Coordinates of all heavy atoms in Angstrom, one line a residue:
F273 N 119.1 48.8 85.6 CA 119.3 47.3 85.7 C 119.2 46.9 87.1 O 118.6 45.8 87.4 CB 120.7 46.9 85.1 CG 120.7 46.6 83.7 CD1 120.6 47.6 82.7 CD2 120.9 45.2 83.2 CE1 120.6 47.2 81.4 CE2 120.9 44.9 81.9 CZ 120.7 45.9 80.9
F332 N 127.2 49.7 76.5 CA 127.1 48.4 77.1 C 128.2 48.2 78.1 O 128.0 47.6 79.2 CB 127.0 47.3 76.1 CG 125.7 47.2 75.4 CD1 125.4 47.7 74.2 CD2 124.6 46.5 76.1 CE1 124.2 47.6 73.6 CE2 123.4 46.4 75.5 CZ 123.1 47.0 74.3
E333 N 129.4 48.6 77.7 CA 130.6 48.5 78.6 C 130.4 49.2 79.9 O 130.7 48.7 81.0 CB 131.9 48.9 77.9 CG 132.4 47.7 77.1 CD 133.4 48.2 76.0 OE1 133.7 49.4 75.9 OE2 133.8 47.3 75.2
I335 N 127.5 49.9 81.3 CA 126.5 49.1 82.2 C 127.2 48.0 82.8 O 127.1 47.8 84.1 CB 125.3 48.7 81.3 CG1 124.5 49.9 80.7 CG2 124.4 47.7 82.1 CD1 123.4 49.5 79.7
I336 N 128.0 47.2 82.1 CA 128.7 46.1 82.6 C 129.6 46.5 83.8 O 129.6 45.9 84.9 CB 129.5 45.3 81.5 CG1 128.5 44.7 80.5 CG2 130.4 44.2 82.1 CD1 129.1 44.1 79.3
S337 N 130.4 47.5 83.6 CA 131.4 47.9 84.6 C 130.6 48.5 85.8 O 131.0 48.2 87.0 CB 132.5 48.7 84.1 OG 132.0 50.0 83.8
D338 N 129.6 49.3 85.6 CA 128.9 49.9 86.7 C 128.1 48.8 87.5 O 127.8 49.0 88.7 CB 127.9 51.0 86.2 CG 128.6 52.2 85.7 OD1 129.8 52.3 85.9 OD2 127.9 53.0 85.0
L339 N 127.8 47.7 86.9 CA 127.1 46.6 87.6 C 128.2 45.7 88.3 O 127.8 44.8 89.0 CB 126.3 45.7 86.7 CG 125.0 46.4 86.1 CD1 124.4 45.4 85.1 CD2 124.0 46.7 87.2
G340 N 129.4 46.0 88.0 CA 130.5 45.2 88.6 C 130.6 43.8 88.1 O 131.0 42.9 88.8
L341 N 130.2 43.6 86.9 CA 130.2 42.2 86.3 C 131.5 41.9 85.7 O 132.2 42.7 85.0 CB 129.1 42.1 85.2 CG 127.7 42.2 85.6 CD1 126.8 42.2 84.4 CD2 127.3 41.0 86.6
D342 N 131.9 40.6 85.9 CA 133.1 40.1 85.2 C 132.6 39.4 83.9 O 132.3 38.2 83.9 CB 133.8 39.1 86.2 CG 135.0 38.5 85.5 OD1 135.5 39.1 84.6 OD2 135.4 37.4 86.0
F343 N 132.5 40.2 82.9 CA 131.8 39.7 81.7 C 132.2 40.6 80.5 O 132.4 41.8 80.7 CB 130.3 39.9 82.0 CG 129.4 39.4 80.8 CD1 129.4 38.1 80.3 CD2 128.4 40.3 80.3 CE1 128.6 37.8 79.3 CE2 127.6 39.9 79.3 CZ 127.7 38.6 78.8
S344 N 132.3 40.0 79.4 CA 132.7 40.8 78.2 C 131.8 40.4 77.0 O 131.5 39.3 76.8 CB 134.2 40.5 77.9 OG 134.4 41.0 76.6
K375 N 121.6 39.6 77.2 CA 122.8 38.9 77.6 C 123.3 39.5 79.0 O 123.7 38.7 79.9 CB 123.9 39.0 76.6 CG 123.7 37.9 75.5 CD 125.0 37.6 74.8 CE 125.0 36.2 74.3 NZ 126.3 35.9 73.6
V376 N 123.4 40.8 79.0 CA 123.9 41.4 80.2 C 122.9 41.2 81.4 O 123.4 40.8 82.5 CB 124.1 43.0 80.0 CG1 124.5 43.6 81.3 CG2 125.0 43.3 78.9
L377 N 121.6 41.3 81.2 CA 120.7 41.0 82.2 C 120.7 39.6 82.7 O 120.7 39.3 83.9 CB 119.3 41.4 81.8 CG 118.2 41.3 82.8 CD1 118.5 42.3 84.0 CD2 116.8 41.6 82.3
A378 N 120.9 38.7 81.8 CA 121.0 37.2 82.2 C 122.2 37.0 83.1 O 122.1 36.3 84.1 CB 121.0 36.4 80.9
K379 N 123.3 37.6 82.7 CA 124.5 37.5 83.5 C 124.3 38.1 84.9 O 124.7 37.5 85.9 CB 125.7 38.2 82.7 CG 127.0 38.2 83.4 CD 127.6 36.8 83.3 CE 128.8 36.7 84.2 NZ 129.4 35.4 84.3
Y380 N 123.7 39.3 84.9 CA 123.5 40.0 86.2 C 122.6 39.2 87.1 O 122.8 39.1 88.3 CB 123.0 41.3 85.9 CG 122.9 42.2 87.1 CD1 124.0 42.4 87.9 CD2 121.7 43.0 87.4 CE1 123.9 43.3 89.1 CE2 121.7 43.8 88.5 CZ 122.8 43.9 89.3 OH 122.7 44.8 90.4
L381 N 121.6 38.5 86.5 CA 120.6 37.8 87.4 C 121.1 36.4 87.6 O 120.5 35.6 88.4 CB 119.3 37.7 86.6 CG 118.5 39.0 86.4 CD1 117.3 38.7 85.4 CD2 117.9 39.5 87.7
D382 N 122.1 36.0 86.8 CA 122.6 34.6 86.8 C 121.5 33.6 86.3 O 121.2 32.6 87.0 CB 123.1 34.2 88.2 CG 124.0 32.9 88.2 OD1 124.4 32.6 87.0 OD2 124.1 32.3 89.2

Side-chain angles (χ1 to χ4, degrees):
F273 267 72
F332 283 102
E333 275 160 2
I335 294 174
I336 292 171
S337 72
D338 292 348
L339 290 176
L341 291 177
D342 176 20
F343 179 58
S344 164
K375 276 203 152 178
V376 177
L377 185 62
K379 177 75 190 170
Y380 188 49
L381 295 167
D382 197 20

